[in-house]
Amino acid sequence: MLKLPPISLYIHIPWCIKKCGYCDFYSYVSKKSIPEIKYIQHLLKDLEKDLKLINKRKISNIFIGGGTPSLLHHESIKYLIKGIKKRTKIYQSSEITIESNPKLKEYKRFRKYKKSGINRFSLGIQTFNSNLLKKIERTYDKKEAIKAIKEIKKINNNFNIDIMYGLPGQSLNNVLSDLKYTVQHNPTHISWYQFTIEPNTSFYKKKLDLPDENILFNMFNKGEKFLKKSGYIKYEISSYMKLNYQCRHNMNYWNFGDYIGIGCGAHGKITKKNGDIIRTTKNKNINSFINGKYLDTKKIILEKDKPFEYFMNTFRLYQPIYKKHFQERTNMNIRDIKSKINKALQKKYIIENEKYWETTKNGKMFLNSLIKIFLN
């Protein structure tokens, strides 16, 4: 009998004060007031439809992302969480995360968010350098960023800081200074990743003073050594934690677990009892969404594409990938991927024993090449 994976819930709040030039996430800059309650009512209706697909499984964790979820009033967050709990069962130990911006108007809400059920905050700082913040079109400065962290620390131990390297005009000293400031505030989790520019962003057409590959490599090496020395454990390509403080929602993604995705532009993955894995995407048009048109696409992952989908996630993690886990999550036999595994072994991207595979240092360095082996 197929063992269904754990299932979490992702909620997309699409509004932002301003669209940053490097951001390619779906977001909507509203010049009018946000129809918070109306949107949440439709989020809950969207959830009701997806709950029919999950075979009464309990929700393990909740992640409220965006956009900028911290633009919502605490009454709206309370209404949302209360509405979810009315419609489905959630584990008592669930981690409920909200992404937040370090703006005064927003961080003053954190205490009331906590009372509404939020127990983990993720702060999008990006850099503590006010000049660099202006360059990447963020709407706050260093002082506000530090105040926001202090506000969170008063009410909640468990929080993440997002920080980037490779920003336009950024030096190695800037990078190390950012990490020192980050570690100084003792977050339980740090997301530290390279600044990249996607084709569908406004920065893509601009000539930006980006560090070259050698400088980026140096930033990465020095930064990673500093985080390790500071007591942070790297457990995923761009994620560092204090012991036992992995982001549970993201761990579920990377372990090829299931998740319901509700809200404009949200993605979901749901495994059915018969072994079919369904991918869903939700309507990106805000007006259509609040008129009841939630689903954009719903498709079954083809059998030949399952290994790529599985390893695209699991190879990101710094842990063994158990063969039994692959079989449980894909409903496939190891024989089906033997030739591709052999190719990855020949390239020395992975090692193998009777029970598991594990990526080598070389495999992590050339992760895209490793994953492409499993692309059909």
Side-chain angles (χ1 to χ4, degrees):
M1 186 179 173
L2 180 71
K3 185 179 178 182
L4 292 174
I7 189 157
S8 57
L9 172 62
Y10 174 77
I11 303 161
H12 194 76
I13 308 297
W15 291 281
C16 280
I17 295 171
K18 184 182 183 299
K19 181 81 171 174
C20 298
Y22 63 89
C23 178
D24 71 331
F25 289 106
Y26 174 68
S27 59
Y28 185 81
V29 179
S30 179
K31 293 177 182 177
K32 300 175 184 178
S33 61
I34 297 170
E36 297 182 28
I37 297 301
K38 189 175 184 181
Y39 183 68
I40 290 168
Q41 286 168 345
H42 283 282
L43 280 177
L44 294 171
K45 287 179 182 177
D46 187 13
L47 174 64
E48 286 169 6
K49 288 179 180 291
D50 280 359
L51 286 175
K52 294 171 186 176
L53 302 171
I54 71 166
N55 197 38
K56 296 182 180 179
R57 277 177 281 171
K58 269 188 179 182
I59 300 295
S60 56
N61 299 288
I62 299 172
F63 195 100
I64 307 171
T68 312
S70 55
L71 288 177
L72 300 190
H73 291 88
H74 73 274
E75 292 95 343
S76 300
I77 296 297
K78 186 178 180 181
Y79 177 53
L80 172 62
I81 293 171
K82 197 175 178 182
I84 293 164
K85 287 180 176 178
K86 272 185 181 178
R87 287 161 175 81
T88 188
K89 290 181 180 178
I90 299 169
Y91 285 102
Q92 199 170 356
S93 60
S94 287
E95 189 174 82
I96 305 177
T97 303
I98 189 166
E99 287 185 333
S100 319
N101 260 0
K103 291 286 289 178
L104 175 66
K105 187 179 178 182
E106 295 168 47
Y107 67 70
K108 287 295 179 187
R109 296 176 176 147
F110 292 172
R111 190 175 294 275
K112 288 182 178 176
Y113 282 172
K114 169 91 180 202
K115 287 180 181 176
S116 301
I118 301 295
N119 55 27
R120 184 177 182 272
F121 292 82
S122 182
L123 264 183
I125 303 290
Q126 317 314 351
T127 176
F128 288 94
N129 186 308
S130 294
N131 291 328
L132 290 176
L133 285 168
K134 279 183 186 175
K135 280 189 180 182
I136 61 170
E137 300 182 352
R138 302 297 281 178
T139 58
Y140 51 87
D141 59 19
K142 176 183 173 180
K143 283 183 180 177
E144 281 186 298
I146 290 170
K147 281 181 182 177
I149 295 169
K150 286 179 178 177
E151 192 66 26
I152 281 178
K153 288 179 76 174
K154 286 177 191 174
I155 59 166
N156 209 67
N157 171 52
N158 193 7
F159 69 99
N160 169 64
I161 291 178
D162 265 12
I163 209 84
M164 293 195 288
Y165 70 94
L167 299 172
Q170 190 180 36
S171 68
L172 174 60
N173 284 339
N174 292 150
V175 170
L176 294 176
S177 176
D178 274 344
L179 290 178
K180 282 172 188 173
Y181 268 112
T182 304
V183 165
Q184 200 176 73
H185 293 292
N186 201 32
T188 49
H189 192 282
I190 298 169
S191 298
W192 184 58
Y193 49 94
Q194 186 184 330
F195 175 80
T196 53
I197 299 171
E198 301 298 335
N200 57 334
T201 61
S202 64
F203 275 9
Y204 190 71
K205 297 172 185 176
K206 293 182 178 181
K207 287 186 178 179
L208 297 172
D209 178 24
L210 296 174
D212 66 31
E213 284 186 13
N214 289 331
I215 294 171
L216 284 171
F217 189 69
N218 201 23
M219 287 174 171
F220 173 75
N221 275 336
K222 293 276 176 68
E224 190 157 87
K225 282 176 185 174
F226 175 78
L227 286 170
K228 186 178 180 180
K229 189 180 174 183
S230 302
Y232 285 88
I233 303 160
K234 185 173 188 177
Y235 71 97
E236 186 268 342
I237 286 294
S238 56
S239 300
Y240 303 78
M241 63 161 179
K242 290 289 184 78
L243 189 62
N244 298 326
Y245 278 99
Q246 301 99 323
C247 174
R248 292 190 208 164
H249 181 77
N250 286 349
M251 277 297 287
N252 188 45
Y253 279 158
W254 298 322
N255 275 302
F256 208 53
D258 284 353
Y259 50 96
I260 296 171
I262 60 171
C264 282
H267 291 248
K269 170 192 169 280
I270 299 168
T271 306
K272 302 294 291 295
K273 267 185 170 182
N274 64 359
D276 285 347
I277 299 173
I278 298 168
R279 289 276 189 198
T280 61
T281 58
K282 300 300 170 67
N283 196 330
K284 283 186 177 181
N285 186 298
I286 186 68
N287 293 319
S288 294
F289 189 87
I290 57 178
N291 278 307
K293 295 176 182 175
Y294 311 133
L295 189 65
D296 181 29
T297 64
K298 180 180 173 183
K299 63 178 183 180
I300 295 172
I301 299 177
L302 299 174
E303 197 77 4
K304 62 186 176 68
D305 294 328
K306 282 182 182 179
F308 172 73
E309 294 252 359
Y310 176 84
F311 288 117
M312 181 175 64
N313 289 282
T314 55
F315 278 149
R316 292 178 65 95
L317 293 166
Y318 283 76
Q319 66 182 37
I321 299 163
Y322 286 90
K323 296 175 181 181
K324 185 182 176 184
H325 186 270
F326 170 80
Q327 291 171 308
E328 286 176 351
R329 295 290 160 98
T330 62
N331 201 30
M332 292 179 72
N333 196 294
I334 302 297
R335 290 193 304 271
D336 300 331
I337 56 166
K338 188 169 176 55
S339 63
K340 292 180 178 184
I341 288 291
N342 286 341
K343 190 173 180 183
L345 287 165
Q346 285 164 13
K347 297 264 186 184
K348 297 186 178 176
Y349 290 155
I350 62 170
I351 56 172
E352 179 184 36
N353 69 21
E354 192 180 329
K355 290 186 177 180
Y356 63 79
W357 307 289
E358 193 167 6
T359 48
T360 60
K361 190 176 180 182
N362 201 40
K364 282 290 189 283
M365 192 176 291
F366 299 100
L367 186 62
N368 286 341
S369 299
L370 166 58
I371 292 167
K372 278 179 184 175
I373 290 172
F374 296 88
L375 184 63
N376 206 48

